[in-house]
Amino acid sequence: MCMFKIYCIEDINGLRYIGRTADKRGLNSRYYNHKNNKRNGVKCSSSKLDLENSTITVIDTCDTTKESIDLEWFYINTSECVNIHTGNYNHKDYKKEYDIKNSEKQKLYRLQNKERKKQYDKKRRTAHKDLTQS
């Protein structure tokens, strides 16, 4: 059975980020991921925090994915935090909106990278063929 942790990262300015993890490597690993993502420019609400001067603490635990999602939303909606997605955020709806908003960019990218994709697919097929013949 997987143990989910709901955690809070708080920086020296009092800003908080609420998250959840089932990372078997531990909470420190998740904390490191947040710091690394910020250094690499990955967009996440936690990037608003001073992650070099912050702490991470477990605020709740549970056993199921559904319960972990519900608990995370409870803490996000009842705490003052920097999380962008609050309330009734639904990843599927967000993805649809994102795709609609960015469809022109996506089409342009596919057109500009058509040859590159062909080469990549050919390389993958060859590698797969080599693996299956071994």
Side-chain angles (χ1 to χ4, degrees):
M1 183 176 283
C2 189
M3 173 65 80
F4 292 89
K5 294 175 182 141
I6 313 303
Y7 61 88
C8 177
I9 300 175
E10 185 170 356
D11 73 3
I12 59 171
N13 302 312
L15 295 176
R16 289 189 204 103
Y17 171 82
I18 307 290
R20 71 184 166 98
T21 186
D23 195 335
K24 292 181 174 93
R25 294 168 295 173
L27 198 59
N28 286 333
S29 173
R30 186 67 190 104
Y31 190 37
Y32 173 79
N33 288 341
H34 278 284
K35 289 179 175 183
N36 199 38
N37 286 343
K38 183 174 182 174
R39 274 192 292 271
N40 293 325
V42 176
K43 290 183 181 180
C44 177
S45 297
S46 67
S47 298
K48 296 175 183 176
L49 277 64
D50 178 356
L51 292 172
E52 297 305 319
N53 296 296
S54 60
T55 56
I56 186 168
T57 53
V58 174
I59 53 177
D60 216 330
T61 59
C62 58
D63 297 321
T64 67
T65 302
K66 168 98 173 82
E67 189 180 6
S68 72
I69 292 168
D70 291 344
L71 276 173
E72 180 185 25
W73 285 116
F74 170 77
Y75 286 109
I76 288 171
N77 290 320
T78 59
S79 306
E80 201 170 303
C81 60
V82 297
N83 296 59
I84 292 171
H85 299 298
T86 60
N88 296 321
Y89 171 74
N90 180 317
H91 184 72
K92 288 180 184 175
D93 292 342
Y94 175 80
K95 176 82 171 98
K96 281 181 192 174
E97 286 177 31
Y98 178 87
D99 287 344
I100 290 168
K101 225 177 359 182
N102 293 289
S103 65
E104 291 304 315
K105 278 186 197 175
Q106 291 167 346
K107 284 177 192 174
L108 182 61
Y109 179 84
R110 282 192 296 274
L111 283 172
Q112 291 173 339
N113 293 285
K114 203 175 219 176
E115 190 57 38
R116 196 166 119 197
K117 182 167 177 7
K118 280 182 188 176
Q119 291 172 358
Y120 173 78
D121 289 344
K122 184 178 179 182
K123 188 176 175 182
R124 267 187 50 217
R125 280 193 300 275
T126 304
H128 180 71
K129 187 177 181 182
D130 292 345
L131 286 174
T132 56
Q133 290 178 351
S134 299

